[in-house]
């Protein structure tokens, strides 16, 4: 599935557009959307430990709509994030990982924070794109690439939502 | 629902953000200035080559690619044929989407063998026999040989790797990655020129090939350069065997399970009904003789 599509689906879910465990039709729509994108008609949605779990192919997504201050296990140490971040989604797939978080920092202050902290951890900023009130910021470090999508959120309370997509090594060069 | 609508707008806004503000839809290809080169998706090593003081790159942009070159005539042909190969190869992946779009892939074109040696020496994981290669979202293409068809077949081979890196959520086993690249290298240019021969007739008898056990379990290229060509050829023949001599629905089922992340070798044997690698070797031997 295209990275943007994953981001949109996950952003939509994290924002509470659909609540699959409470609504079988919503779950079915989500399943159909994933099947349309991936060709995988065997998507499984279930609840475990109070969190929504989605399994599509060998991708497993975990969605915690309550948000947690606990840093997700498996999140690399050089991913520096604001101390007030609340994490509501962490996924790991064969080619990359996705993290969704909310912070009280406004988008411009979050951008400043990332630009100050990440280079110190070895990351190099390679591109910035702004469209309306959405920012996209890309860093590279060795063979890893991290792309932030940042936007303001007003419900249930004013905050900034950041979606981070970390792509793992592009692999060995193929002659 | 309002929130969903706003997110949808944001999603479309992000997709539209590939174009500079106020830009018109790009023409087929256009020269662009160095400051206009998008760097999204480039690795640090790619960026280093882009800004290397020894190279005075000119830049040509097409729908899916940004080409860095020092001679426009060949670069324009690479851009035009590259887009055709992109369309042809991605058309064979109908249930998948381009994961990288709207970001463009980068193609560095080298004409001087000394420059190419510098690239190979400076890239971990490459052997000296490497003629061109793809790493992540970037292709390093050497203009090699005098014949146009040889150059375009090389481009089709590398474009296969590039398109797969853009579309596939998983990495293919080495034999299949190279086998498919060789397959498209053999046929994509001929198809584009309308000089396609019968694909089945293109697989003439093979005198020597890499044993299936070795091919299917390979995770690295052969050490002996003489064995490298045999590895590529055997990969192409096995790919052709699966695509042309076996029921297409089996290929579709095999590929779907690879995309789902299942291990390649057991899935291959199970999908095609071979009890073990020996049974596959026996069937393959009949195909190549």
């Amino acid at each position: 599935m295209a990275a943007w599509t994953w981001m949109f689906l996950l952003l939509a879910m994290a924002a509470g557009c659909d609540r699959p465990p409470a609504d079988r039709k919503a779950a079915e729509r989500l399943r159909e959307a994933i099947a349309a994108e991936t060709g995988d008609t065997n998507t499984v949605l279930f609840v475990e430990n109070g969190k929504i779990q989605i399994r599509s192919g060998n991708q497993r997504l975990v969605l915690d709509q309550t948000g947690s201050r606990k840093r997700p296990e498996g999140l690399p140490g050089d991913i520096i994030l604001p101390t007030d971040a609340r994490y509501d989604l962490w996924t790991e797939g064969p080619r990359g990982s996705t993290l969704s978080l909310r912070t009280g920092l406004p988008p411009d202050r979050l951008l400043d924070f990332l630009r100050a902290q990440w280079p110190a951890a070895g990351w190099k900023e390679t591109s910035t794109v702004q469209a309306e009130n959405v920012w996209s910021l890309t860093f590279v470090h060795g063979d890893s690439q991290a792309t932030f999508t940042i936007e303001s959120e007003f419900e249930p309370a004013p905050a900034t939502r950041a979606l981070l997509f970390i792509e793992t090594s592009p692999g060995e060069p193929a002659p | 629902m309002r929130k969903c609508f706003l997110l949808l707008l944001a999603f479309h806004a992000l997709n539209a953000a590939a174009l500079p503000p106020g830009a018109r839809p790009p023409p087929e290809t256009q020269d662009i200035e160095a400051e206009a080169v998008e760097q999204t998706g480039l690795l640090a090593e790619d960026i280093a080559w882009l800004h290397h003081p020894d190279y005075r790159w000119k830049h040509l942009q097409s729908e899916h690619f940004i080409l860095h070159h020092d001679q426009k005539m060949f670069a324009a042909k690479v851009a035009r044929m590259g887009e055709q190969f992109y369309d042809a190869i991605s058309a064979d992946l109908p249930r998948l989407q381009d994961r990288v779009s709207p970001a463009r892939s980068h193609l560095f074109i080298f004409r001087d063998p000394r420059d190419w040696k510098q690239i190979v020496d400076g890239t971990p994981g490459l052997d000296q026999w490497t003629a061109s290669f793809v790493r992540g979202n970037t292709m390093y293409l050497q203009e090699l040989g005098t014949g146009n068809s040889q150059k375009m077949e090389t481009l089709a081979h590398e474009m296969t790797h590039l398109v797969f890196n853009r579309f596939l959520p998983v990495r293919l086993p080495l034999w299949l990655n190279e086998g498919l690249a060789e397959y498209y290298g053999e046929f994509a240019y001929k198809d584009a020129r309308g000089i396609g021969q019968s694909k089945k007739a293109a697989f003439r008898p093979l005198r020597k090939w890499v044993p299936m056990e070795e091919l299917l379990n390979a995770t690295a290229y052969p050490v002996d350069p003489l064995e490298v060509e045999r590895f590529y050829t055997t990969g192409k023949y096995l790919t052709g065997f699966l695509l042309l001599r076996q029921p297409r629905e089996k290929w579709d089922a095999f590929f779907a399970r690879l995309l789902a992340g299942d291990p390649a070798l057991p899935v291959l044997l199970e999908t095609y009904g071979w009890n073990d690698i020996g049974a596959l070797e026996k069937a393959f031997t009949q195909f190549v003789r």
Side-chain angles (χ1 to χ4, degrees), chain A residues 1-5 8 11-12 15 17 36-39 57-58 94-95 124 126-127 129 131-132 134 136 138 140 142-143 145 149 151 155-156 165 167-175, chain B residues 3-4 7-8 10-11 13-15 17 39-45 47 95 97-99 101-102 124-126 129-130 132-134 136 157-158 161 165 168-169 171 178 221 232 260-261:
Chain A
M1 187 188 299
W4 287 119
T5 310
F8 172 66
L11 205 57
C17 293
E37 292 292 343
T38 64
N58 63 346
R95 275 202 152 175
K124 183 176 176 185
T126 57
S127 74
V129 176
E132 302 284 327
V134 179
S136 174
T138 303
V140 295
D143 289 340
Q145 176 171 300
T149 304
E151 67 171 351
E155 296 175 15
F165 188 66
E167 284 196 270
T168 47
S169 160
E172 292 294 309
Chain B
K3 194 181 282 182
C4 286
L7 284 167
L8 192 61
F11 177 62
L14 282 168
N15 274 328
Q39 297 189 22
T40 303
L42 282 179
L43 298 171
E45 295 89 333
I47 293 170
R95 300 171 86 179
Q97 288 191 357
D98 189 333
R99 303 161 59 248
S101 181
L126 288 183
W129 50 261
T130 302
S132 294
F133 69 95
V134 168
H157 176 108
E158 301 303 339
H161 293 315
N165 284 355
L168 301 191
R171 294 198 180 95
E178 293 301 349
Y221 298 94
Y232 277 62

Side-chain angles (χ1 to χ4, degrees), chain B residues 88-226:
Chain B
I89 297 164
S90 60
D92 286 342
L93 305 168
R95 300 171 86 179
L96 295 171
Q97 288 191 357
D98 189 333
R99 303 161 59 248
V100 180
S101 181
R104 292 178 171 87
S105 292
H106 291 250
L107 280 71
F108 290 86
I109 300 174
F110 296 86
R111 296 190 302 138
D112 187 329
R114 291 167 297 182
D115 292 341
W116 183 252
K117 188 172 187 319
Q118 192 180 6
I119 292 290
V120 172
D121 290 345
T123 305
L126 288 183
D127 292 304
Q128 290 299 318
W129 50 261
T130 302
S132 294
F133 69 95
V134 168
R135 178 179 55 198
N137 198 25
T138 302
M139 181 191 300
Y140 288 80
L141 182 70
Q142 185 184 192
E143 185 182 357
L144 197 62
T146 53
N148 194 48
S149 71
Q150 184 192 355
K151 294 174 186 176
M152 291 301 114
E153 285 167 11
T154 300
L155 175 64
H157 176 108
E158 301 303 339
M159 188 56 68
T160 309
H161 293 315
L162 194 62
V163 170
F164 284 1
N165 284 355
R166 290 180 69 103
F167 279 74
L168 301 191
V170 297
R171 294 198 180 95
L172 299 177
L174 189 61
W175 70 268
L176 186 57
N177 198 28
E178 293 301 349
L180 278 163
E182 285 290 278
Y183 184 88
Y184 283 109
E186 171 87 32
F187 297 117
Y189 181 59
K190 292 187 178 80
D191 286 349
R193 291 283 309 275
I195 53 174
Q197 55 182 322
S198 159
K199 287 190 170 63
K200 289 183 182 177
F203 290 92
R204 300 191 181 102
L206 265 186
R207 293 184 65 184
K208 288 186 176 181
W209 59 89
V210 177
M212 290 295 105
E213 182 87 37
E214 191 179 323
L215 182 84
L216 297 172
N217 290 304
T219 55
Y221 298 94
V223 176
D224 181 352
L226 296 174

Side-chain angles (χ1 to χ4, degrees), chain B residues 209-261:
Chain B
W209 59 89
V210 177
M212 290 295 105
E213 182 87 37
E214 191 179 323
L215 182 84
L216 297 172
N217 290 304
T219 55
Y221 298 94
V223 176
D224 181 352
L226 296 174
E227 290 294 323
V228 172
E229 186 178 349
R230 189 173 296 164
F231 181 88
Y232 277 62
T233 303
T234 310
K236 179 176 76 172
Y237 270 68
L238 180 54
T239 302
F241 173 56
L242 298 176
L243 277 168
L244 304 174
R245 291 291 173 89
Q246 299 291 322
R248 183 64 188 212
E249 59 268 22
K250 288 192 176 182
W251 171 266
D252 293 340
F254 170 56
F255 209 74
R257 289 189 60 184
L258 290 182
L259 295 180

Side-chain angles (χ1 to χ4, degrees), chain A residues 57-164:
Chain A
N58 63 346
Q59 294 234 30
R60 186 175 171 128
L61 318 180
V62 180
L63 178 61
D64 176 0
Q65 293 192 89
T66 61
S68 165
R69 285 191 182 281
K70 189 180 173 207
R71 192 179 165 91
E73 290 176 18
L75 185 62
D78 60 354
I79 303 293
I80 313 294
L81 298 165
T83 52
D84 74 335
R86 297 185 76 92
Y87 308 99
D88 47 21
L89 182 135
W90 169 246
T91 73
E92 291 179 83
R95 275 202 152 175
S97 306
T98 306
L99 176 71
S100 172
L101 64 94
R102 300 176 80 217
T103 170
L105 294 178
D108 56 342
R109 297 246 335 257
L110 178 57
L111 286 168
D112 290 344
F113 172 88
L114 296 171
R115 284 173 170 150
Q117 297 294 325
W118 277 48
W123 292 91
K124 183 176 176 185
E125 182 182 338
T126 57
S127 74
T128 311
V129 176
Q130 183 182 354
E132 302 284 327
N133 56 349
V134 179
W135 290 261
S136 174
L137 189 62
T138 303
F139 293 93
V140 295
H141 184 191
D143 289 340
S144 297
Q145 176 171 300
T147 302
F148 276 97
T149 304
I150 296 168
E151 67 171 351
S152 295
E153 219 177 50
F154 302 101
E155 296 175 15
T160 297
R161 163 135 348 250
L163 201 64
L164 171 61

